[in-house]
Amino acid sequence: QKEVEQNSGPLSVPEGAIASLNCTYSDRGSQSFFWYRQYSGKSPELIMSIYSNGDKEDGRFTAQLNKASQYVSLLIRDSQPSDSATYLCAVYGGATNKLIFGTGTLLAVQP
Amino acid sequence: NAGVMQNPRHLVRRRGQEARLRCSPMKGHSHVYWYRQLPEEGLKFMVYLQKENIIDESGMPKERFSAEFPKEGPSILRIQQVVRGDSAAYFCASSLAGGPGNIQYFGAGTRLSVL
């Protein structure tokens, strides 16, 4: 079982729709959760961080964390073509004490 | 306020040569991390350093790879006797402090191509 799992996609949504990106993790002791956006050939850019159960909203982005289910998600409202990128879920593991990345989900927003 | 600076952006080496990748952390940051990203794969942790100390090198291959973060100057990731399998994007990140609550900010990366 991978430590951090994401559906590789591509996830295709029409412009203006809600994009829902999901991530599961295996280390129940994980404490911090991050979403990074990575455009092709570029560096990862932090979108959201979340540390406690529930929702955290920042503009068009909402991160959701459910530690009991070991699940974290990212919702992007009013998706724009400029949101088209790979979204990386990263989890700071309790056992490993380091940041573990999923392989990323490719999001394509169709104009 | 400069971000994490990496150079060179692109590096081409022939098999058997040495590659040196440099990383200057964000101003005020003293924690540096190196990651490797292969095509179609996620970022893989390699090593975590503080000034003059290697904190965790569990992700780094035992041979040919080394890293340092001296008291003065940038952090260096050194790959000796490169092989084709070393071709990848190498990213450096920095944080203000260590531990789970601290956000890591990434540099633009160095893309290493081994001929």
mmCIF file of all heavy atoms in Angstrom, chain A residues 33-38 43-51 58 88 90 99, chain B residues 102-106:
data_model
loop_
_atom_site.group_PDB
_atom_site.id
_atom_site.type_symbol
_atom_site.label_atom_id
_atom_site.label_comp_id
_atom_site.label_asym_id
_atom_site.label_seq_id
_atom_site.Cartn_x
_atom_site.Cartn_y
_atom_site.Cartn_z
ATOM 1 N N PHE A 33 -1.201 18.262 6.546
ATOM 2 C CA PHE A 33 -1.636 17.857 5.214
ATOM 3 C C PHE A 33 -1.593 19.068 4.290
ATOM 4 O O PHE A 33 -2.004 20.166 4.682
ATOM 5 C CB PHE A 33 -3.057 17.279 5.294
ATOM 6 C CG PHE A 33 -3.166 16.194 6.335
ATOM 7 C CD1 PHE A 33 -3.421 16.520 7.664
ATOM 8 C CD2 PHE A 33 -2.967 14.867 5.995
ATOM 9 C CE1 PHE A 33 -3.477 15.535 8.646
ATOM 10 C CE2 PHE A 33 -3.033 13.882 6.965
ATOM 11 C CZ PHE A 33 -3.277 14.206 8.280
ATOM 12 N N PHE A 34 -1.076 18.849 3.098
ATOM 13 C CA PHE A 34 -0.845 19.980 2.195
ATOM 14 C C PHE A 34 -1.298 19.616 0.787
ATOM 15 O O PHE A 34 -1.200 18.466 0.361
ATOM 16 C CB PHE A 34 0.657 20.326 2.156
ATOM 17 C CG PHE A 34 1.253 20.594 3.518
ATOM 18 C CD1 PHE A 34 1.810 19.564 4.261
ATOM 19 C CD2 PHE A 34 1.269 21.871 4.044
ATOM 20 C CE1 PHE A 34 2.358 19.797 5.517
ATOM 21 C CE2 PHE A 34 1.825 22.129 5.296
ATOM 22 C CZ PHE A 34 2.361 21.083 6.033
ATOM 23 N N TRP A 35 -1.753 20.634 0.085
ATOM 24 C CA TRP A 35 -2.008 20.513 -1.345
ATOM 25 C C TRP A 35 -1.083 21.480 -2.073
ATOM 26 O O TRP A 35 -1.052 22.673 -1.776
ATOM 27 C CB TRP A 35 -3.461 20.831 -1.681
ATOM 28 C CG TRP A 35 -4.407 19.724 -1.326
ATOM 29 C CD1 TRP A 35 -5.186 19.630 -0.210
ATOM 30 C CD2 TRP A 35 -4.685 18.557 -2.093
ATOM 31 N NE1 TRP A 35 -5.923 18.478 -0.228
ATOM 32 C CE2 TRP A 35 -5.632 17.798 -1.381
ATOM 33 C CE3 TRP A 35 -4.224 18.080 -3.336
ATOM 34 C CZ2 TRP A 35 -6.132 16.588 -1.855
ATOM 35 C CZ3 TRP A 35 -4.719 16.873 -3.808
ATOM 36 C CH2 TRP A 35 -5.665 16.134 -3.074
ATOM 37 N N TYR A 36 -0.328 20.928 -3.034
ATOM 38 C CA TYR A 36 0.530 21.730 -3.895
ATOM 39 C C TYR A 36 0.024 21.628 -5.328
ATOM 40 O O TYR A 36 -0.471 20.583 -5.745
ATOM 41 C CB TYR A 36 1.985 21.221 -3.858
ATOM 42 C CG TYR A 36 2.756 21.539 -2.606
ATOM 43 C CD1 TYR A 36 2.646 20.734 -1.473
ATOM 44 C CD2 TYR A 36 3.628 22.627 -2.559
ATOM 45 C CE1 TYR A 36 3.377 21.026 -0.317
ATOM 46 C CE2 TYR A 36 4.368 22.920 -1.404
ATOM 47 C CZ TYR A 36 4.225 22.110 -0.298
ATOM 48 O OH TYR A 36 4.959 22.399 0.841
ATOM 49 N N ARG A 37 0.189 22.684 -6.061
ATOM 50 C CA ARG A 37 -0.141 22.696 -7.480
ATOM 51 C C ARG A 37 1.174 22.743 -8.258
ATOM 52 O O ARG A 37 2.086 23.515 -7.929
ATOM 53 C CB ARG A 37 -0.988 23.919 -7.828
ATOM 54 C CG ARG A 37 -1.320 24.082 -9.306
ATOM 55 C CD ARG A 37 -2.269 25.271 -9.503
ATOM 56 N NE ARG A 37 -1.645 26.517 -9.121
ATOM 57 C CZ ARG A 37 -2.317 27.652 -8.908
ATOM 58 N NH1 ARG A 37 -3.640 27.675 -9.022
ATOM 59 N NH2 ARG A 37 -1.678 28.755 -8.578
ATOM 60 N N GLN A 38 1.261 21.940 -9.313
ATOM 61 C CA GLN A 38 2.476 21.913 -10.123
ATOM 62 C C GLN A 38 2.106 21.980 -11.598
ATOM 63 O O GLN A 38 1.500 21.050 -12.134
ATOM 64 C CB GLN A 38 3.311 20.657 -9.837
ATOM 65 C CG GLN A 38 4.668 20.673 -10.530
ATOM 66 C CD GLN A 38 5.544 19.486 -10.163
ATOM 67 O OE1 GLN A 38 5.055 18.414 -9.806
ATOM 68 N NE2 GLN A 38 6.856 19.665 -10.232
ATOM 69 N N SER A 43 7.842 24.193 -10.615
ATOM 70 C CA SER A 43 8.011 23.705 -9.250
ATOM 71 C C SER A 43 6.669 23.628 -8.525
ATOM 72 O O SER A 43 5.715 24.310 -8.899
ATOM 73 C CB SER A 43 8.957 24.621 -8.484
ATOM 74 O OG SER A 43 8.415 25.923 -8.402
ATOM 75 N N PRO A 44 6.554 22.809 -7.496
ATOM 76 C CA PRO A 44 5.324 22.751 -6.698
ATOM 77 C C PRO A 44 5.085 24.064 -5.968
ATOM 78 O O PRO A 44 6.004 24.667 -5.417
ATOM 79 C CB PRO A 44 5.609 21.618 -5.707
ATOM 80 C CG PRO A 44 6.716 20.831 -6.318
ATOM 81 C CD PRO A 44 7.547 21.815 -7.056
ATOM 82 N N GLU A 45 3.821 24.470 -5.940
ATOM 83 C CA GLU A 45 3.417 25.727 -5.315
ATOM 84 C C GLU A 45 2.341 25.399 -4.290
ATOM 85 O O GLU A 45 1.351 24.738 -4.617
ATOM 86 C CB GLU A 45 2.871 26.664 -6.392
ATOM 87 C CG GLU A 45 2.237 27.928 -5.891
ATOM 88 C CD GLU A 45 1.438 28.622 -6.986
ATOM 89 O OE1 GLU A 45 1.239 28.034 -8.060
ATOM 90 O OE2 GLU A 45 1.003 29.756 -6.741
ATOM 91 N N LEU A 46 2.507 25.839 -3.055
ATOM 92 C CA LEU A 46 1.538 25.529 -2.009
ATOM 93 C C LEU A 46 0.199 26.195 -2.277
ATOM 94 O O LEU A 46 0.132 27.391 -2.556
ATOM 95 C CB LEU A 46 2.075 25.986 -0.650
ATOM 96 C CG LEU A 46 1.166 25.668 0.525
ATOM 97 C CD1 LEU A 46 1.189 24.169 0.813
ATOM 98 C CD2 LEU A 46 1.578 26.445 1.769
ATOM 99 N N ILE A 47 -0.868 25.378 -2.201
ATOM 100 C CA ILE A 47 -2.232 25.892 -2.358
ATOM 101 C C ILE A 47 -2.905 26.000 -1.000
ATOM 102 O O ILE A 47 -3.502 27.020 -0.666
ATOM 103 C CB ILE A 47 -3.052 24.978 -3.288
ATOM 104 C CG1 ILE A 47 -2.421 24.935 -4.676
ATOM 105 C CG2 ILE A 47 -4.504 25.431 -3.359
ATOM 106 C CD1 ILE A 47 -2.457 26.244 -5.397
ATOM 107 N N MET A 48 -2.855 24.909 -0.239
ATOM 108 C CA MET A 48 -3.563 24.861 1.035
ATOM 109 C C MET A 48 -2.787 23.989 2.025
ATOM 110 O O MET A 48 -2.132 23.037 1.635
ATOM 111 C CB MET A 48 -4.953 24.228 0.874
ATOM 112 C CG MET A 48 -5.936 25.027 0.055
ATOM 113 S SD MET A 48 -6.618 26.401 0.974
ATOM 114 C CE MET A 48 -7.740 25.563 2.080
ATOM 115 N N SER A 49 -2.933 24.315 3.295
ATOM 116 C CA SER A 49 -2.476 23.445 4.366
ATOM 117 C C SER A 49 -3.643 23.248 5.325
ATOM 118 O O SER A 49 -4.470 24.142 5.489
ATOM 119 C CB SER A 49 -1.292 24.075 5.104
ATOM 120 O OG SER A 49 -1.654 25.328 5.663
ATOM 121 N N ILE A 50 -3.712 22.065 5.927
ATOM 122 C CA ILE A 50 -4.784 21.788 6.882
ATOM 123 C C ILE A 50 -4.241 20.856 7.947
ATOM 124 O O ILE A 50 -3.477 19.928 7.645
ATOM 125 C CB ILE A 50 -6.042 21.225 6.169
ATOM 126 C CG1 ILE A 50 -7.209 21.109 7.148
ATOM 127 C CG2 ILE A 50 -5.754 19.905 5.472
ATOM 128 C CD1 ILE A 50 -8.558 20.892 6.463
ATOM 129 N N TYR A 51 -4.627 21.107 9.198
ATOM 130 C CA TYR A 51 -4.025 20.371 10.312
ATOM 131 C C TYR A 51 -5.053 19.680 11.197
ATOM 132 O O TYR A 51 -4.713 18.773 11.962
ATOM 133 C CB TYR A 51 -3.199 21.325 11.175
ATOM 134 C CG TYR A 51 -2.155 22.093 10.390
ATOM 135 C CD1 TYR A 51 -2.373 23.409 10.009
ATOM 136 C CD2 TYR A 51 -0.959 21.488 10.020
ATOM 137 C CE1 TYR A 51 -1.409 24.105 9.282
ATOM 138 C CE2 TYR A 51 0.001 22.180 9.296
ATOM 139 C CZ TYR A 51 -0.232 23.485 8.932
ATOM 140 O OH TYR A 51 0.714 24.174 8.209
ATOM 141 N N ASP A 58 -10.187 28.916 1.420
ATOM 142 C CA ASP A 58 -9.330 30.042 1.036
ATOM 143 C C ASP A 58 -9.680 30.399 -0.394
ATOM 144 O O ASP A 58 -9.247 29.724 -1.332
ATOM 145 C CB ASP A 58 -7.854 29.658 1.161
ATOM 146 C CG ASP A 58 -6.922 30.831 0.856
ATOM 147 O OD1 ASP A 58 -7.412 31.939 0.555
ATOM 148 O OD2 ASP A 58 -5.684 30.646 0.914
ATOM 149 N N LEU A 88 -0.712 17.923 -6.161
ATOM 150 C CA LEU A 88 0.014 16.977 -5.324
ATOM 151 C C LEU A 88 -0.486 17.057 -3.893
ATOM 152 O O LEU A 88 -0.514 18.136 -3.296
ATOM 153 C CB LEU A 88 1.511 17.289 -5.344
ATOM 154 C CG LEU A 88 2.205 17.282 -6.707
ATOM 155 C CD1 LEU A 88 3.629 17.821 -6.574
ATOM 156 C CD2 LEU A 88 2.236 15.873 -7.274
ATOM 157 N N ALA A 90 0.311 16.104 -0.082
ATOM 158 C CA ALA A 90 1.500 15.816 0.721
ATOM 159 C C ALA A 90 1.090 15.675 2.182
ATOM 160 O O ALA A 90 0.299 16.474 2.687
ATOM 161 C CB ALA A 90 2.541 16.913 0.558
ATOM 162 N N LEU A 99 7.871 14.751 4.887
ATOM 163 C CA LEU A 99 6.761 15.052 3.991
ATOM 164 C C LEU A 99 6.728 14.008 2.882
ATOM 165 O O LEU A 99 7.715 13.846 2.153
ATOM 166 C CB LEU A 99 6.946 16.456 3.427
ATOM 167 C CG LEU A 99 5.728 17.159 2.840
ATOM 168 C CD1 LEU A 99 4.618 17.265 3.854
ATOM 169 C CD2 LEU A 99 6.125 18.536 2.333
ATOM 170 N N ASN B 102 5.366 23.024 9.797
ATOM 171 C CA ASN B 102 6.100 24.013 9.017
ATOM 172 C C ASN B 102 5.970 23.779 7.527
ATOM 173 O O ASN B 102 6.159 22.681 7.037
ATOM 174 C CB ASN B 102 7.566 24.002 9.437
ATOM 175 C CG ASN B 102 7.738 24.588 10.818
ATOM 176 O OD1 ASN B 102 7.745 25.795 10.992
ATOM 177 N ND2 ASN B 102 7.824 23.719 11.809
ATOM 178 N N ILE B 103 5.680 24.832 6.817
ATOM 179 C CA ILE B 103 5.448 24.745 5.387
ATOM 180 C C ILE B 103 6.773 24.776 4.647
ATOM 181 O O ILE B 103 7.654 25.574 4.955
ATOM 182 C CB ILE B 103 4.542 25.902 4.933
ATOM 183 C CG1 ILE B 103 3.148 25.720 5.525
ATOM 184 C CG2 ILE B 103 4.475 25.984 3.414
ATOM 185 C CD1 ILE B 103 2.250 26.900 5.353
ATOM 186 N N GLN B 104 6.883 23.898 3.667
ATOM 187 C CA GLN B 104 8.073 23.857 2.825
ATOM 188 C C GLN B 104 7.784 24.602 1.521
ATOM 189 O O GLN B 104 6.778 24.349 0.857
ATOM 190 C CB GLN B 104 8.471 22.412 2.533
ATOM 191 C CG GLN B 104 8.876 21.649 3.779
ATOM 192 C CD GLN B 104 9.327 20.234 3.490
ATOM 193 O OE1 GLN B 104 9.700 19.901 2.361
ATOM 194 N NE2 GLN B 104 9.335 19.385 4.513
ATOM 195 N N TYR B 105 8.688 25.487 1.174
ATOM 196 C CA TYR B 105 8.581 26.264 -0.064
ATOM 197 C C TYR B 105 9.643 25.774 -1.035
ATOM 198 O O TYR B 105 10.795 25.599 -0.657
ATOM 199 C CB TYR B 105 8.764 27.755 0.225
ATOM 200 C CG TYR B 105 7.690 28.320 1.122
ATOM 201 C CD1 TYR B 105 7.853 28.351 2.510
ATOM 202 C CD2 TYR B 105 6.501 28.793 0.585
ATOM 203 C CE1 TYR B 105 6.858 28.845 3.338
ATOM 204 C CE2 TYR B 105 5.506 29.304 1.417
ATOM 205 C CZ TYR B 105 5.685 29.317 2.787
ATOM 206 O OH TYR B 105 4.700 29.805 3.599
ATOM 207 N N PHE B 106 9.222 25.603 -2.281
ATOM 208 C CA PHE B 106 10.082 24.956 -3.261
ATOM 209 C C PHE B 106 10.766 25.935 -4.203
ATOM 210 O O PHE B 106 10.203 26.972 -4.573
ATOM 211 C CB PHE B 106 9.272 23.957 -4.098
ATOM 212 C CG PHE B 106 8.985 22.686 -3.367
ATOM 213 C CD1 PHE B 106 7.956 22.600 -2.449
ATOM 214 C CD2 PHE B 106 9.775 21.557 -3.590
ATOM 215 C CE1 PHE B 106 7.708 21.423 -1.757
ATOM 216 C CE2 PHE B 106 9.533 20.373 -2.915
ATOM 217 C CZ PHE B 106 8.496 20.315 -1.987
#
